[in-house]
Amino acid sequence: MPQFSYQGRNSAGEAVAGAMEADTDFEIAKKLMAQGITPLEIKRGAALAIRKKADGSAGKLAGLFEEKPRHEDVLLFFRQIYSLLKAGVPIMRALTGLQESYENKGMKNLLRDMRESLDAGREFSASMARHPKVFSAFAINMVRVGEMTGRLEEIFLRLFHHMEFERFIREQVKSALRYPCFVVVAMAIAIVVINIFVIPAFSKVFDSFDADLPLVTRMLLDFSNFTRDNWYYLLAALVMTATGFRTWIKTDSGRYNWDRLKLRIPIAGKIVNKATLSRFARSFALASKSGVPIIQALSNVAQTVDNAFIADKITHMRDGVERGESVLRNAIASGIFTPMVIQMIAVGEEAGSLDDMLQDVADMYQREVEYELKTLSQQIEPILIVFLGVLVLILALGIFLPMWDLGRAAKGG
């Protein structure tokens, strides 16, 4: 009796593969269906499943080292596909041309897979959904709406502007935090060097005085000795703390609590809050203008704000709207909007121009974020200067106070 290899999916949607004996592939299909397995591929020979499995493992291994599509590549893709479709180029030809133009191998492979997926009869949004690490759920849903409404070109252009705005915000935040981070790292390195090299050198001098040392000096010496004697424990504790923190924020409750805490951090918290709400307002306005129903728009936007705490508030807003309540009432109940924004939402909902009002809210928040980011260094500098001054004062008192006392005693003698 010949042997057949098969691949399929079980009732839970999981991929299964194996080999089975039967007279024909039709009998194999009947046996699989009786077991609750939907056959996808049946071929004579037992080597197919093993080969597929090995190829899959090799593909996963190769995927670890494959060049990934960058944010800039996806941004450029939306702009280019819009221009090509607007010019009347068929979508399959457009994807072929774009595939040849990209130097990023990950992007080339992605476009090739999308072409093959479209060629197999799938929709563009379904082809994008095969790559959830590249295309966000928001972008996929927006493209799906564009397909249903016949406004796909317009959707691609709006997604381009939306992603460009998100990139601008990220670059502004990185630029604003670069100087404070550099100062903090430099201070940390200076503290380590002083504890390991400078204070021990003075310790030998102080031992030769054979006199009572001031409290500040004794504290510095004890801290230096503790650091030198237990540096490996401190390093291990630091690594364990960092690892534990990363593990914690990957959990649902950990990410929720950390995202909520980020909004309360002095100075930086208000910037994160305004940037997140700007992303919410712009995404909601984009979805609403594109014809997405409000409930679906809120569901999509909750996945784009990149803050679990605010996403939870938006989800509650969606639940309230689903119960028949107004957007205004749920926006007030969420407690995340300022009175001015609440007023703009009220006017927009009453006038039937909620998308335009939310676009104005997004622009207002964006201007505030830009201003806050430009003045961030000026706001942080006084704190850094005070901290640095206290550090220098402690070191000066701890090191030079004993010398000053010794010199005064020598004069008195």
Side-chain angles (χ1 to χ4, degrees):
M1 187 176 292
Q3 197 170 35
F4 292 84
S5 60
Y6 66 86
Q7 284 195 329
R9 292 192 179 275
N10 59 21
S11 57
E14 300 171 340
V16 294
M20 190 178 295
E21 291 183 352
D23 291 328
T24 63
D25 55 357
F26 180 71
E27 290 184 15
I28 295 290
K30 285 177 63 178
K31 290 181 179 180
L32 291 174
M33 294 292 287
Q35 297 174 14
I37 297 175
T38 303
L40 299 177
E41 185 176 13
I42 301 174
K43 286 192 177 181
R44 182 183 289 268
L48 175 68
I50 300 173
R51 186 174 67 252
K52 290 279 188 179
K53 186 176 180 181
D55 290 345
S57 301
K60 288 180 181 179
L61 184 62
L64 294 175
F65 303 99
E66 184 184 88
E67 189 177 8
K68 306 296 183 184
R70 300 167 300 176
H71 181 86
E72 292 78 9
D73 294 323
V74 180
L75 179 68
L76 185 61
F77 166 72
F78 283 135
R79 187 66 178 87
Q80 290 174 328
I81 196 71
Y82 159 75
S83 300
L84 290 170
L85 292 180
K86 187 179 180 183
V89 179
I91 195 165
M92 293 295 287
R93 208 171 107 203
L95 289 175
T96 302
L98 290 176
Q99 179 186 339
E100 296 173 355
S101 67
Y102 278 100
E103 295 181 0
N104 186 296
K105 291 184 179 179
M107 200 66 190
K108 280 180 176 289
N109 294 335
L110 181 144
L111 292 177
R112 181 174 61 250
D113 181 81
M114 289 183 66
R115 278 198 308 107
E116 293 173 354
S117 180
L118 287 171
D119 198 36
R122 295 187 181 93
E123 296 178 333
F124 199 94
S125 57
S127 303
M128 290 173 59
R130 290 162 58 89
H131 305 276
K133 293 184 178 179
V134 179
F135 300 108
S136 66
F138 177 77
I140 294 169
N141 287 326
M142 289 296 297
V143 170
R144 186 175 292 118
V145 170
E147 290 171 333
M148 291 188 296
T149 59
R151 301 161 66 183
L152 194 57
E153 300 170 13
E154 184 182 346
I155 293 296
F156 282 133
L157 182 61
R158 288 180 176 177
L159 284 174
F160 165 75
H161 290 306
H162 178 73
M163 292 186 66
E164 193 175 37
F165 162 75
E166 290 192 337
R167 185 182 67 165
F168 169 77
I169 291 295
R170 279 197 298 268
E171 289 178 351
Q172 288 290 310
V173 171
K174 288 180 181 177
S175 176
L177 294 178
R178 189 174 295 121
Y179 169 72
C181 288
F182 174 77
V183 173
V184 171
V185 170
M187 291 171 62
I189 294 174
I191 292 174
V192 171
V193 171
I194 289 172
N195 270 293
I196 295 177
F197 299 105
V198 178
I199 294 180
F202 279 97
S203 177
K204 297 177 181 178
V205 177
F206 296 152
D207 290 340
S208 65
F209 290 169
D210 195 21
D212 291 335
L213 297 175
L215 177 62
V216 178
T217 305
R218 294 199 304 271
M219 291 175 61
L220 281 176
L221 293 176
D222 290 341
F223 182 70
S224 175
N225 292 332
F226 175 79
T227 304
R228 292 172 61 207
D229 295 341
N230 301 281
W231 65 270
Y232 36 87
Y233 293 120
L234 295 174
L235 182 61
L238 181 63
V239 172
M240 290 176 63
T241 302
T243 305
F245 176 75
R246 289 172 63 88
T247 305
W248 176 64
I249 61 175
K250 286 181 180 179
T251 63
D252 293 339
S253 60
R255 187 184 175 195
Y256 177 88
N257 289 313
W258 170 239
D259 285 344
R260 181 174 59 179
L261 180 63
K262 281 193 295 187
L263 303 177
R264 300 176 181 177
I265 297 175
I267 300 176
K270 60 181 179 181
I271 299 177
V272 173
N273 186 39
K274 290 177 180 178
T276 304
L277 292 179
S278 176
R279 188 180 294 115
F280 157 76
R282 190 175 295 274
S283 301
F284 190 87
L286 172 60
S288 182
K289 284 183 178 180
S290 302
V292 181
I294 290 181
I295 295 175
Q296 184 183 347
L298 288 170
S299 299
N300 296 342
V301 170
Q303 302 173 22
T304 67
V305 293
D306 197 26
N307 186 289
F309 176 72
I310 291 183
D312 181 67
K313 296 291 186 181
I314 296 171
T315 301
H316 281 89
M317 285 179 61
R318 181 206 63 193
D319 295 340
V321 173
E322 202 169 15
R323 290 192 299 267
E325 300 171 1
S326 65
V327 176
L328 174 63
R329 179 175 178 180
N330 286 280
I332 296 173
S334 68
I336 58 176
F337 299 104
T338 62
M340 182 182 296
V341 174
I342 293 294
Q343 186 176 359
M344 294 179 73
I345 291 176
V347 173
E349 194 169 27
E350 186 175 350
S353 57
L354 185 60
D355 50 356
D356 292 330
M357 282 297 174
L358 283 172
Q359 184 64 50
D360 292 340
V361 169
D363 294 337
M364 180 188 70
Y365 272 133
Q366 182 177 347
R367 287 191 295 270
E368 290 186 10
V369 169
E370 290 178 17
Y371 175 77
E372 294 285 355
L373 289 174
K374 287 178 182 177
T375 60
L376 180 61
S377 297
Q378 300 173 9
Q379 298 178 59
I380 294 179
E381 273 180 8
I383 300 174
L384 294 177
I385 291 172
V386 169
F387 184 77
L388 186 60
V390 171
L391 179 63
V392 171
L393 178 63
I394 292 174
L395 290 174
L397 290 175
I399 292 174
F400 296 111
L401 193 59
M403 296 183 177
W404 183 54
D405 289 343
L406 184 63
R408 189 173 57 179
K411 277 189 177 182

